[in-house]
Amino acid sequence: MANEDEPKNHLLGIRNLSHKTLLQSDALYQYILETSVYPREHKCLKEIREMTEKHPRNIMATPPDEGQFLSMLIKLINAKNTLEIGVYTGYSLLSTALALPPAGKILALDVNREYYELGLPIIEKAGVAHKIDFREGPALPFLDELLKDENKKGQFDFVFVDADKNNYLNYHKRVIDLVKVGGLIGYDNTLWAGSVAAPPDAPLMDYVKPLRGYVMEFNKYLAQDSRIEICQLPVGDGITLCRRII
């Protein structure tokens, strides 16, 4: 991704590793991976990660430190029923499936089954495929169908969203009613390669610029949403945790 604007991008935290971490030191990020993440990474997670690194759209992958973080969250809140919007090859999905108890379930939504099936043999090898209910297609119509059934409201302990950023606000307006009171929603990429704090005329990478405004609008909305408590963390490309309180 290197280009003539790279020196300026470095000052903005928008670098080659921007899709994996916002840490200013690549060496420090590598230290975290090698000291705390890789030694504990499940062999099947490693296999999905290494397979995905070779994929042309690997920028969409959940970084391993974030996968570890999600796994810890699932266990801390004793989640049993989760929803994931945006699956790709399944690193975050497998992280969740491994963390859930034997009877735990994940409803996984993605517009592309082909990507999911790249990781599926590895998920099956890990012995957790039975926990996953994968549905192919746009998530919004599917969520609208769920909401028509009053019994489906409040059914999820945890929701993880890592999909089209221009629809984050639309997703939130739906999943807020699908997660239980006291449950968590995690939104990925809410710092969007550091661009949310960049000047309006800052040089941005091609995939960052068109969606920056949507991410900023979404962050402002969450900050004012009285139905949730929030915590925005500089893990990966930024993850915002929302705890539903009403």
Side-chain angles (χ1 to χ4, degrees), residues 1-244:
M1 292 182 180
N3 57 49
E4 61 185 5
D5 293 319
E6 189 169 346
K8 295 179 182 178
N9 288 347
H10 180 81
L11 296 176
L12 297 172
I14 304 169
R15 311 172 342 275
N16 289 349
L17 282 177
S18 62
H19 64 291
K20 294 189 177 297
T21 180
L22 293 170
L23 287 176
Q24 291 299 300
S25 168
D26 292 346
L28 184 57
Y29 180 57
Q30 197 64 31
Y31 173 84
I32 292 171
L33 293 177
E34 293 178 359
T35 304
S36 301
V37 180
Y38 291 158
R40 297 295 188 99
E41 186 179 38
H42 190 283
K43 62 182 181 181
C44 291
L45 282 171
K46 180 181 179 181
E47 190 174 348
I48 279 192
R49 173 170 58 82
E50 291 179 344
M51 177 270 293
T52 305
E53 285 171 353
K54 300 171 185 175
H55 193 273
R57 304 196 71 179
N58 60 27
I59 198 169
M60 295 166 56
T62 299
D65 53 324
E66 186 172 337
Q68 187 183 62
F69 176 63
L70 293 175
S71 175
M72 180 72 79
L73 277 181
I74 294 294
K75 294 173 182 176
L76 284 172
I77 67 173
N78 194 28
K80 297 179 177 65
N81 198 20
T82 73
L83 169 66
E84 182 159 335
I85 303 173
V87 172
Y88 188 39
T89 57
Y91 192 92
S92 58
L93 186 64
L94 180 54
S95 298
T96 299
L98 288 167
L100 287 172
K105 297 294 181 184
I106 311 168
L107 177 59
L109 310 179
D110 200 291
V111 294
N112 193 313
R113 177 177 286 274
E114 180 183 348
Y115 293 158
Y116 168 65
E117 290 184 345
L118 290 174
L120 182 56
I122 305 172
I123 293 171
E124 291 173 338
K125 185 190 301 185
V128 292
H130 66 281
K131 299 180 183 181
I132 300 167
D133 179 8
F134 179 84
R135 307 292 184 92
E136 182 181 23
L140 290 175
F142 188 85
L143 297 175
D144 287 338
E145 283 299 312
L146 285 181
L147 288 167
K148 290 179 181 178
D149 184 349
E150 289 295 320
N151 294 323
K152 300 292 185 182
K153 294 182 178 179
Q155 69 169 316
F156 296 107
D157 305 305
F158 180 72
V159 177
F160 182 59
V161 182
D162 183 10
D164 42 331
K165 314 310 168 194
N166 54 312
N167 270 318
Y168 265 32
L169 188 52
N170 291 324
Y171 292 138
H172 181 71
K173 290 177 179 179
R174 290 159 174 81
V175 301
I176 189 65
D177 290 323
L178 292 170
V179 71
K180 71 179 184 181
V181 174
L184 286 179
I185 309 168
Y187 292 102
D188 201 15
N189 305 112
T190 58
L191 294 178
W192 203 228
S195 67
V196 293
D201 59 347
L204 302 175
M205 288 183 285
D206 291 343
Y207 81 94
V208 171
K209 190 171 184 178
L211 298 173
R212 173 177 177 257
Y214 290 104
V215 177
M216 295 175 70
E217 177 189 10
F218 177 67
N219 289 338
K220 289 180 181 179
Y221 185 92
L222 291 186
Q224 299 171 5
D225 190 344
S226 61
R227 299 168 296 179
I228 55 175
E229 296 172 330
I230 67 171
C231 179
Q232 190 171 27
L233 301 168
V235 176
D237 189 29
I239 181 170
T240 301
L241 297 179
C242 307
R243 178 177 176 267
R244 182 182 173 187

